[in-house]
Amino acid sequence: MKKTIGFALFLLFLLLLAACGRPSEEGASTTDGEGEESYTIRVAYLVPEEHSAHVQSLKFKEKLEKESNGRLTVELYPNGQLYGSDREAIEAVQLGNLEMTIPAVAPLASFNEKFLVFDLPFLFNDYDSAYSALDGDLGQELLDSLEENDLKGLAFGENGFRHVSNNEGPIESPEDMEGMKLRTLENPLHTDTFKAFGANASPFAFGELYTALQQGTYDAMDCPISLYYTNKFYEVQDYLTLTGHVYAAAILLANNDFYNSLPEDLQELVMEASDEFKDEQRKLAQQQDTEFLDQLKAEGMQVNDLTAEQRDEFREAAQPVYEKYESQIGKDLIDRALAANE
């Protein structure tokens, strides 16, 4: 009997020992030698290392790691290393498989349709108007609404105004786009806009776009100047028209549960670093746009701008898009965004 009791106690001791040594299943955090929680933030995005978003992400990483005294570790994954599209990266953050991403705002509309408002063609006349909307009550309201999608909207960055390129000739009117096979973002409003201009438009993954253009699957595309240069699209596109048809914001997104799991002081630090990212990345993005446009011309792209009258012709052609999406987006949101031009 004593042997049986002794053996049972020994088994109990082994079970207790195993339980004490079992690693935590928290996933996002670990405990250092002083008993403080530490956290790893993996940030994945499509843009390459030369792009302003990556350059500023290096400073974002440095600030968080230094000012958290090592409680935060930031791992950066540029150039689509982890996910081949913004939509995939957003889904990974939403599901908690990734802590942060910096996508273009347009694919976010598939998760929260309020964000469609920022994709309306010719919505903002200039950068100041865009900043007024994004950094004001409207922008904050939309950032807050992302919590319903298990996402934390931290701040709006910048990709810049989008322009159209093709391999057929200069574009000066919607008629010049008639029948062009044009790649759009994974966003129905963008596709409908180019269909309104007469193009044969369809969405396609950004990571595979260079090859699709090279093989003639598409004749045309649109994106900001920075991406034309950093992704070497000038090698597979001959003509660039400065349409400026959409202001393309980027956005710093975090998994909402992960953000809320951070101690309050680290949450404040992440928000502070995000605000600094927004301000500094925008400045760098505009500086790069000027430099990169000169480089695109030097590489042989033929660049033309639209006159005020030509741009008005595109605006008029785009009006059916406003009518189609007004009920889905909400007239109030559209009017508030347009008011930023005043």
Side-chain angles (χ1 to χ4, degrees), residues 220-340:
M221 59 171 285
D222 81 309
C223 74
I225 289 171
S226 59
L227 296 182
Y228 275 114
Y229 183 71
T230 57
N231 288 276
K232 298 185 177 181
F233 287 127
Y234 55 81
E235 296 179 345
V236 289
Q237 292 280 269
D238 296 329
Y239 300 91
L240 174 62
T241 301
L242 302 180
T243 53
H245 53 281
V246 169
Y247 171 78
I251 185 170
L252 279 74
L253 283 179
N255 175 270
N256 196 48
D257 290 338
F258 171 77
Y259 177 83
N260 289 329
S261 75
L262 297 174
E264 186 175 349
D265 65 320
L266 294 186
Q267 289 183 16
E268 292 175 358
L269 179 58
V270 169
M271 287 302 305
E272 181 182 309
S274 298
D275 283 338
E276 289 182 12
F277 177 102
K278 172 193 71 177
D279 294 336
E280 295 304 315
Q281 188 263 334
R282 285 175 178 173
K283 292 177 186 176
L284 181 57
Q286 290 193 40
Q287 177 185 328
Q288 286 190 342
D289 273 0
T290 300
E291 296 170 356
F292 290 162
L293 183 58
D294 289 339
Q295 290 295 324
L296 291 174
K297 293 176 181 177
E299 293 289 348
M301 283 195 94
Q302 298 185 42
V303 180
N304 70 291
D305 203 350
L306 296 179
T307 66
E309 292 77 14
Q310 289 170 338
R311 191 166 275 106
D312 285 343
E313 191 176 350
F314 277 94
R315 280 197 179 95
E316 184 176 348
Q319 282 309 300
V321 178
Y322 278 76
E323 295 166 8
K324 178 176 180 178
Y325 285 91
E326 182 178 288
S327 60
Q328 185 175 353
I329 297 171
K331 188 175 186 302
D332 175 62
L333 278 182
I334 296 174
D335 289 344
R336 288 166 64 191
L338 288 170

Side-chain angles (χ1 to χ4, degrees), residues 18 34 80 143:
E34 298 178 357
L143 288 177

Side-chain angles (χ1 to χ4, degrees), residues 24 27 41 62 120 124 148 151 167 199 205 218 229 234 259 300 308 322 326 342:
S24 168
I41 302 177
E62 180 182 6
L120 287 166
F124 299 126
E148 301 170 8
L151 298 166
N167 280 326
Y218 288 96
Y229 183 71
Y234 55 81
Y259 177 83
Y322 278 76
E326 182 178 288
E342 297 174 358

Side-chain angles (χ1 to χ4, degrees), residues 79-129:
N79 213 26
Q81 291 178 36
L82 297 186
Y83 300 96
S85 72
D86 280 335
R87 180 183 176 86
E88 290 175 355
I90 295 169
E91 287 177 344
V93 171
Q94 185 181 47
L95 295 171
N97 297 328
L98 180 70
E99 286 73 46
M100 276 189 65
T101 186
I102 312 175
V105 164
L108 193 58
S110 299
F111 301 81
N112 185 320
E113 64 181 15
K114 292 179 181 179
F115 280 81
L116 282 170
V117 68
F118 294 132
D119 296 298
L120 287 166
F122 302 102
L123 180 70
F124 299 126
N125 294 334
D126 50 38
Y127 286 102
D128 288 340
S129 299

